Amino acid sequence: MGIAFVSRLRRPLGLVLVPAMLAACSGGMTPPDDIVGAIRPSAEVSQRPAADMGDTGGDLADYPVEADTAMVTPAEKKRLPMIDSDEAMGIAQPVQASGVLTVPEDGVNMDAGLGVGRVEGLAEAQAGEIAEGNATQVVVDGIGSDTPQQIGQPATIPMSEAGVELGEAPDGDGYLQVPDKATTRRRQTSEGEQVAFLPRLSNPMQMPETMGGMPASEKACRQRLLKLGVTFRDVPRISRGRSCGIAWPIELSGLSGGIQIKPAAQVNCQITEAFARWVKNELVPSSRTRYLSGVSAIHQMSSYSCRTMNSQRGAAMSEHAKGNAIDVGKIVLKNGKAIAIEKKGFFAFREKGLLKSVRGDSCKYFSTVLGPGSDRYHKDHFHFDLRARKSGYRHCSL
């Protein structure tokens, strides 16, 4: 019974004794007032009088923090300046902005601020020359109107030694008047001077072959035509697929001695050269021998024509399709006699002799010669072409 009573009192007693013991242990943990005063803010400590320093009963050496703080002078307690401030840069009197900045009417003169004189630009100098009327170039007024006029004259320049060598006469002051383009052209025309011009790339004779110009073989052929006295002109390329066309065609209109080709024939240069040699070396001498007259005109019946041989279906392509052939239907002499290419009567001795001789000699110039008597397709004309055969065979049907 007694033990049970003691155990019941143990718990309330423990609850009372534990707080009492904690209060007794913590009684010496509260710092004295002098320490609390020592850790006050420096501003508050600096305001305390010297008498308060001794109230704690301690020595200054025991409280170094408070002693050092109390000995700091007001100058030393001044805050440090900012890095980018005027005070840090050493500027005693900072520049104070007075209101809103204004830009002068004539702008900010940088040259004046730097102490540099004003620089005159090229455009300004030229404008000044034109305004004063002393420009070195011709000044024209009224551009864009119907009556433009030249103002003043171009300035003269000192005559160089080169100008004297060219025969230019200086004026009284020793200056050479620069002529304009119109004066130069009039002088060249009156004196017969020749002016060299750059070649036009549109001319196939002057354009390089690498740039699509005429091959060297075609140029050489045309040079030979000129020596033979052939009248011709270059015409645009003819192309109608793989079988028809002429890469570098010419239009033949005349031969040496004033012989006309009627109508003008479109052929290649090679057949033209062979035809011109045949007329000059064979046809003209034979006509003079038999008729004492030269040839006035040659009437051709066919030159370039995109067709098959004899215009027959299924036949091979004719040399006419490549401009490599020409047909002659009539020869007109200068005495007015016209000789048709056809089978002659028994008493037409001179005509038969002429046609036979020129037809036989033509095999020296052409690879194919056909005419009256060859077949029914050539009863009224001579056919000449330069067909290339692998065997080199020449077909001359007499």
Side-chain angles (χ1 to χ4, degrees):
M1 184 73 180
I3 297 173
F5 179 76
V6 173
S7 61
R8 292 180 179 177
L9 293 176
R10 185 179 301 173
R11 184 176 298 172
L13 184 59
L15 296 174
V16 174
L17 290 177
V18 170
M21 293 175 65
L22 292 174
C25 293
S26 61
M29 297 180 63
T30 304
D33 295 339
D34 54 354
I35 296 178
V36 175
I39 63 176
R40 291 176 183 175
S42 58
E44 183 180 353
V45 173
S46 61
Q47 295 177 0
R48 293 177 59 188
D52 295 341
M53 300 293 292
D55 291 344
T56 59
D59 192 10
L60 291 176
D62 297 335
Y63 309 101
V65 176
E66 184 177 358
D68 294 341
T69 306
M71 296 177 64
V72 175
T73 61
E76 295 177 355
K77 293 191 297 180
K78 183 177 180 182
R79 65 179 181 83
L80 294 176
M82 297 183 66
I83 295 177
D84 57 349
S85 62
D86 296 336
E87 182 180 358
M89 299 297 293
I91 302 176
Q93 296 180 356
V95 179
Q96 301 293 335
S98 58
V100 181
L101 295 177
T102 58
V103 180
E105 295 181 357
D106 54 350
V108 179
N109 192 344
M110 299 292 293
D111 296 335
L114 298 174
V116 180
R118 182 175 178 275
V119 179
E120 184 179 17
L122 178 60
E124 185 178 357
Q126 293 178 347
E129 288 183 356
I130 294 176
E132 296 175 4
N134 58 351
T136 56
Q137 301 295 330
V138 177
V139 181
V140 179
D141 187 20
I143 296 177
S145 63
D146 296 336
T147 57
Q149 296 179 354
Q150 177 179 334
I151 301 177
Q153 295 293 332
T156 57
I157 59 175
M159 183 175 182
S160 61
E161 297 179 358
V164 177
E165 293 177 359
L166 293 175
E168 299 290 350
D171 56 12
D173 298 332
Y175 286 87
L176 174 66
Q177 185 72 24
V178 180
D180 55 6
K181 292 182 179 180
T183 304
T184 303
R185 290 177 180 174
R186 287 195 299 268
R187 183 184 64 184
Q188 291 173 349
T189 303
S190 60
E191 297 178 1
E193 296 182 5
Q194 296 183 355
V195 182
F197 295 95
L198 293 176
R200 298 180 59 182
L201 295 181
S202 60
N203 189 344
M205 288 285 289
Q206 297 175 346
M207 185 183 299
E209 184 176 355
T210 56
M211 299 176 59
M214 185 178 296
S217 59
E218 293 287 340
K219 294 179 181 179
C221 180
R222 283 158 173 76
Q223 294 296 330
R224 293 191 296 269
L225 293 183
L226 294 176
K227 291 181 180 180
L228 289 171
V230 179
T231 304
F232 68 95
R233 69 184 184 92
D234 289 291
V235 294
R237 181 189 302 266
I238 301 174
S239 178
R240 294 186 59 185
R242 295 182 179 181
S243 302
C244 299
I246 309 176
W248 301 100
I250 63 175
E251 186 178 82
L252 173 64
S253 58
L255 302 174
S256 61
I259 301 175
Q260 299 180 358
I261 304 298
K262 297 181 179 181
Q266 287 190 350
V267 287
N268 61 30
C269 186
Q270 290 71 32
I271 191 67
T272 303
E273 181 182 4
F275 186 71
R277 293 186 183 276
W278 170 73
V279 171
K280 181 178 181 180
N281 299 332
E282 308 299 337
L283 178 59
V284 172
S286 296
S287 65
R288 286 177 177 172
T289 300
R290 290 172 172 83
Y291 290 95
L292 302 178
S293 174
V295 179
S296 174
I298 297 176
H299 292 256
Q300 60 93 10
M301 296 179 59
S302 178
S303 53
Y304 167 77
S305 177
C306 186
R307 59 180 175 84
T308 60
M309 296 177 61
N310 302 321
S311 301
Q312 297 299 304
R313 184 183 300 272
M317 294 301 297
S318 171
E319 291 298 302
H320 287 283
K322 297 183 292 185
N324 200 34
I326 187 169
D327 292 346
V328 177
K330 184 170 60 175
I331 301 171
V332 179
L333 303 180
K334 290 186 176 180
N335 60 9
K337 182 174 180 59
I339 303 174
I341 310 300
E342 60 185 4
K343 187 176 181 180
K344 301 299 180 181
F346 179 78
F347 296 100
F349 299 109
R350 288 195 295 180
E351 291 186 5
K352 288 192 297 183
L354 175 64
L355 296 179
K356 183 178 180 179
S357 63
V358 297
R359 181 173 176 178
D361 294 334
S362 62
C363 287
K364 297 183 294 184
Y365 304 91
F366 307 100
S367 60
T368 304
V369 178
L370 300 172
S374 298
D375 52 43
R376 61 187 180 93
Y377 302 106
H378 299 87
K379 62 181 181 180
D380 58 352
H381 66 276
F382 283 148
H383 169 87
F384 304 114
D385 70 40
L386 292 176
R387 179 182 293 271
R389 299 179 177 91
K390 294 182 180 180
S391 61
Y393 167 72
R394 291 176 178 267
H395 183 78
C396 295
S397 178
L398 302 177

